[in-house]
């Protein structure tokens, strides 16, 4: 079994522990509130592990709530992929699946209540005008000329907004708080805007939609959320979150806590940028194995365990920091090292002919599936006169320290025999087309006295028995740690995928179904593609190389 990293403490655990000990809460309720405007990414995984993890640890519950307040960008495809991602990561919301849009009627009633109390008004200014009057961090804002409307007038206009009488952008509902507040979020924030667009969850019921800031805290309160955990950029919104709760007859008083979002090097995580990569065709879709989305990581071969242990390892704090992609890669390497069976795969094949091996003979070698885990057993691997080896494992003129195949040099074929290279055949262009060798029958692996040591061991597959398959070598999507600025796309890694169509794999791999993971000896960890693997015709994605090839000088594999 793969082991999880032991839990490191985080400040939210301490807060919750105190709240339970002091009797402030009997049980805790958290929520994960994605906006269904894209697929979830590894940053969301941090939030999911945190929210679902805390609930699980303290015997509470965690809700999955779609924060679906903007129908223009939201889609049913995203809703489905989000549910799938959370489940795949290993979390369960039970019957607690919610949509902010289910609360639209209640939110509307509460908005009318604020109007009746003189705490909200309808404004006819455009978005630009509102922005202009908002002031700056050093200058107070100016009041809108519509701020003084009477309660009756506001109520009438708001109801007409709901009825669809006005075009998009003609009016908004604003909270009447303080245009001079040092906190810009309290300068009469917009609560509702007019959008004539159908909504993926509630259809065409509404012409006005609540803003996130108005919907969020009230949704938390309706659901009885105790600890509303969000990322640090919402710290300045907290007074507004509190203001709404204090001014409305909400059934509960959730509290907001902020933590530092995950920033990961060599990728991008804003959904706007991820969408652009998809739309521009830089990747094959939201679940392209190079994407930092949970579905992309899954196709790449990441396990849920490796992502959870990564999230545990990076901890939860309150200061913004960057995490190196190498740490995520190391998490999956550690997990797969434990669990992935070994196999031999020749990615760039060249033929090896054993001149003194009988033409029709076939032997089977039992090769262990895992060097440290004998309980995983072994598999028979056929061996015959003609094999394939890795083109890279041969050098006609070996450089110093090259202990693999070279003229006159001995090398062990993994789990089989020691062979000695006797010559090569080339085509007219001088490319090696065939390597020839002889084998020493006394060196059969496992035979008494066969332990004669040679310096190199290489992997191989039987030419007659091998399966031909497509293998995709994935690498990081960007060549720089922080692809930022207007030309962030200029640092897309041109070698982020290399597709090899003529790989030769040991025959046992023909049976691999979708999403099976292996270590290809000496190459890395690979996973059969979830979508494109067919019975008898696996397609493999490289999850990660065996060692980090980026840490020194950032060249990649
Ligand atoms: P993006 O900026 O990528 O569009 P978002 O914050 O708008 O992301 P939401 O769907 O609103 O995306 O996010 C749902 C939850 O996930 C929020 O509580 C948010 O704080 C959290 N979250 C989003 N990105 C990260 C991240 N990089 N690290 C940790 N938590 C995140
Ligand atoms: Mg958001």
């Amino acid at each position: 079994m793969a082991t999880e990293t032991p839990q490191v403490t985080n400040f939210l655990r301490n807060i919750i522990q105190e709240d339970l000990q002091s009797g402030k809460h009997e049980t805790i309720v958290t929520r994960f509130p994605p906006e269904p405007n894209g697929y979830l990414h590894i940053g969301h995984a941090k939030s999911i592990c945190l929210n679902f993890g805390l609930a699980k640890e303290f015997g509470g519950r965690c809700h999955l709530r779609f924060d679906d307040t903007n129908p223009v960008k939201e889609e049913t495809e995203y809703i489905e992929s989000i549910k799938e991602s959370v489940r795949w990561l290993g979390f369960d919301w039970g019957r607690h699946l919610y949509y902010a849009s289910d609360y639209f009627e209640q939110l509307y009633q509460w908005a009318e209540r604020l109007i009746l109390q003189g705490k909200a008004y309808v404004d006819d200014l455009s978005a630009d005008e509102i922005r202009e009057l908002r002031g700056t961090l050093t200058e107070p804002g100016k009041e809108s000329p519509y701020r003084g409307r009477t309660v009756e007038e506001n109520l009438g206009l708001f109801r007409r907004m709901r009825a669809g009488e006005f075009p998009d952008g003609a009016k908004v509902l604003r909270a009447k708080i303080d245009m001079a507040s040092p906190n810009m979020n309290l300068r009469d924030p917009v609560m509702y805007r007019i959008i004539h667009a159908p909504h993926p969850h509630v259809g065409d019921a509404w012409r006005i939609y609540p803003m996130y800031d108005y919907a969020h805290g009230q949704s938390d309160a309706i659901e009885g959320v105790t600890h509303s955990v969000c990322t640090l950029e919402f710290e300045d919104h907290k007074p507004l979150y509190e203001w709404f709760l204090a001014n409305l007859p909400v059934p509960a008083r959730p509290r907001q806590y902020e933590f530092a979002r995950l920033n990961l090097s060599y990728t991008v995580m804003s959904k706007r940028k991820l969408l652009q990569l998809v739309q521009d065709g830089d990747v094959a879709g939201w679940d392209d194995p190079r994407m930092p989305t949970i579905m992309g990581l899954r196709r790449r071969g990441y396990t849920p365990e490796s992502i959870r242990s990564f999230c545990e390892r990076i901890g939860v704090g309150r200061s913004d920091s960057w995490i190196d992609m190498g740490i995520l890669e190391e998490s999956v390497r550690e997990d797969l090292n434990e669990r992935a069976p070994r196999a031999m795969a020749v990615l760039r094949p060249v033929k090896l002919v054993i001149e003194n091996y009988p033409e029709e003979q076939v032997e089977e070698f039992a090769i262990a599936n895992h060097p440290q885990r004998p309980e995983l057993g072994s598999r028979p691997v056929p061996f015959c006169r003609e094999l394939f080896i890795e083109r890279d494992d041969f050098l006609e003129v070996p450089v110093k320290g090259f202990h693999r195949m070279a003229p006159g040099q001995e090398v062990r074929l993994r789990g089989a025999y020691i062979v000695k290279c006797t010559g090569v055949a080339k085509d007219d262009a001088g490319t090696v087309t065939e390597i020839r060798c002889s084998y020493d029958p006394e060196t059969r692996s496992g035979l008494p006295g066969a332990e004669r040591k040679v310096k190199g061991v290489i992997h191989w597959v039987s030419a007659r028995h091998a399966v031909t398959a497509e293998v995709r070598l994935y690498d990081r999507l960007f060549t720089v740690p922080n692809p930022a600025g207007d030309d962030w796309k200029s640092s897309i890694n041109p070698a982020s995928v290399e597709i090899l169509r003529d790989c030769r794999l040991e025959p046992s791999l023909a049976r691999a179904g979708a999403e099976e993971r292996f270590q290809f000896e000496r190459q890395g960890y690979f996973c059969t593609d979830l979508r494109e693997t067919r019975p008898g015709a696996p397609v493999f994605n490289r999850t990660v190389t065996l060692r980090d090839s980026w840490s020194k000088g950032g060249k990649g594999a």
Side-chain angles (χ1 to χ4, degrees), residues 17-263:
Q17 238 149 17
E18 273 169 35
D19 287 349
L20 290 172
Q21 267 159 22
S22 72
K24 181 174 174 192
H25 298 295
E26 263 172 37
T27 179
I28 66 151
V29 182
T30 59
R31 86 287 170 266
F32 173 65
E35 184 181 354
N37 61 351
Y39 280 50
L40 297 182
H41 52 60
I42 182 74
H44 293 115
K46 178 178 180 180
S47 178
I48 294 169
C49 290
L50 180 60
N51 281 295
F52 280 92
L54 287 170
K56 194 170 182 184
E57 188 179 340
F58 292 100
R61 61 176 203 263
C62 180
H63 298 179
L64 174 62
R65 182 201 313 144
F66 288 102
D67 232 317
D68 53 351
T69 52
N70 182 1
V72 180
K73 291 185 175 169
E74 295 164 7
E75 288 177 24
T76 308
E77 179 197 346
Y78 298 143
I79 293 178
E80 292 311 313
S81 80
I82 288 170
K83 289 195 226 168
E84 192 181 354
S85 298
V86 176
R87 265 194 228 110
W88 180 78
L89 269 180
F91 297 105
D92 182 9
W93 53 87
R95 56 196 176 82
H96 298 285
L97 174 64
Y98 302 105
Y99 294 82
S101 55
D102 287 336
Y103 312 136
F104 280 177
E105 185 59 38
Q106 175 68 81
L107 293 170
Y108 176 84
Q109 296 301 331
W110 280 339
E112 281 207 353
R113 185 185 167 103
L114 288 176
I115 292 174
L116 286 167
Q117 292 176 339
K119 289 174 183 161
Y121 63 98
V122 173
D123 197 342
D124 295 4
L125 294 183
S126 67
D128 285 342
E129 289 165 330
I130 289 177
R131 201 173 309 118
E132 267 164 44
L133 291 185
R134 223 170 147 227
T136 64
L137 284 174
T138 50
E139 266 175 70
K142 294 194 187 74
E143 291 184 359
S144 160
Y146 302 97
R147 200 177 199 259
R149 277 178 165 153
T150 63
V151 166
E152 291 67 36
E153 201 181 348
N154 283 320
L155 203 55
L157 288 171
F158 189 48
R159 287 179 179 168
R160 289 172 62 199
M161 281 167 66
R162 174 177 185 164
E165 289 188 26
F166 307 111
D168 285 13
K171 294 184 185 340
V172 292
L173 183 74
R174 297 177 75 176
K176 197 178 202 174
I177 308 180
D178 179 6
M179 287 308 291
S181 171
N183 185 332
M184 305 277 283
N185 294 298
L186 295 179
R187 294 184 186 171
D188 291 8
V190 172
M191 292 171 58
Y192 273 90
R193 56 204 163 146
I194 301 169
I195 302 175
H196 290 265
H199 184 283
H201 187 60
V202 292
D204 54 8
W206 293 88
R207 301 288 174 273
I208 54 172
Y209 289 92
M211 301 297 289
Y212 170 90
D213 276 330
Y214 176 58
H216 201 81
Q218 281 49 255
S219 303
D220 285 343
I222 291 168
E223 292 175 17
V225 167
T226 55
H227 297 78
S228 179
V229 180
C230 62
T231 39
L232 278 172
E233 68 273 19
F234 290 102
E235 193 169 16
D236 291 344
H237 297 238
K238 189 170 179 167
L240 180 56
Y241 183 97
E242 301 273 342
W243 188 90
F244 284 126
L245 293 175
N247 283 284
L248 291 169
V250 288
R253 277 305 281 272
R255 240 187 106 83
Q256 175 180 309
Y257 298 92
E258 308 88 22
F259 70 101
R261 64 169 45 234
L262 169 66
N263 298 305

Side-chain angles (χ1 to χ4, degrees), residues 288-470:
D288 184 294
R290 292 164 292 176
M291 290 282 269
T293 52
I294 295 174
M295 287 296 117
L297 291 166
R298 175 182 180 179
R299 267 185 88 185
R300 179 82 168 250
Y302 276 74
T303 57
E305 291 83 354
S306 65
I307 296 178
R308 294 201 304 264
S309 90
F310 168 75
C311 291
E312 200 49 61
R313 180 176 309 192
I314 58 176
V316 177
R318 279 190 49 91
S319 53
D320 267 313
S321 63
W322 282 80
I323 301 292
D324 192 86
M325 178 63 93
I327 297 179
L328 178 63
E329 292 168 347
E330 196 51 31
S331 297
V332 76
R333 231 178 244 127
E334 277 177 15
D335 187 34
L336 294 179
N337 181 40
E338 285 273 321
R339 70 162 74 201
R342 275 46 174 173
M344 293 200 283
V346 175
L347 303 184
R348 295 176 177 89
V350 62
K351 189 163 277 182
L352 177 72
V353 180
I354 308 170
E355 291 173 318
N356 59 339
Y357 197 87
E359 194 95 34
E360 291 310 320
Q361 185 170 318
V362 178
E363 285 177 87
E364 277 190 344
F365 292 96
I367 297 190
N369 289 328
H370 196 292
Q372 285 92 41
R373 298 181 60 193
E375 75 275 16
L376 293 187
S378 64
R379 64 199 186 281
V381 183
F383 182 93
C384 63
R385 179 183 156 89
E386 296 198 353
L387 309 175
F388 284 107
I389 63 168
E390 216 64 65
R391 198 164 269 285
D392 275 3
D393 280 336
F394 174 79
L395 271 187
E396 199 167 10
V397 184
V399 294
K400 194 168 179 292
F402 185 85
H403 298 303
R404 294 170 271 164
M405 187 75 73
Q409 193 160 295
E410 280 193 328
V411 66
R412 177 172 286 281
L413 298 174
R414 169 93 174 90
Y417 295 103
I418 292 175
V419 294
K420 184 177 197 168
C421 177
T422 52
V424 296
K426 293 182 186 174
D427 63 14
D428 293 343
T431 308
V432 173
T433 51
E434 193 175 285
I435 302 164
R436 306 190 73 83
C437 69
S438 61
Y439 86 117
D440 176 356
E442 303 301 311
T443 59
R444 190 184 204 275
S445 282
L447 272 189
E451 297 87 43
R452 178 153 70 87
K453 285 275 182 285
V454 285
K455 282 196 173 146
V457 181
I458 63 174
H459 60 277
W460 51 272
V461 296
S462 158
R464 201 189 309 167
H465 304 90
V467 241
T468 303
E470 179 174 317

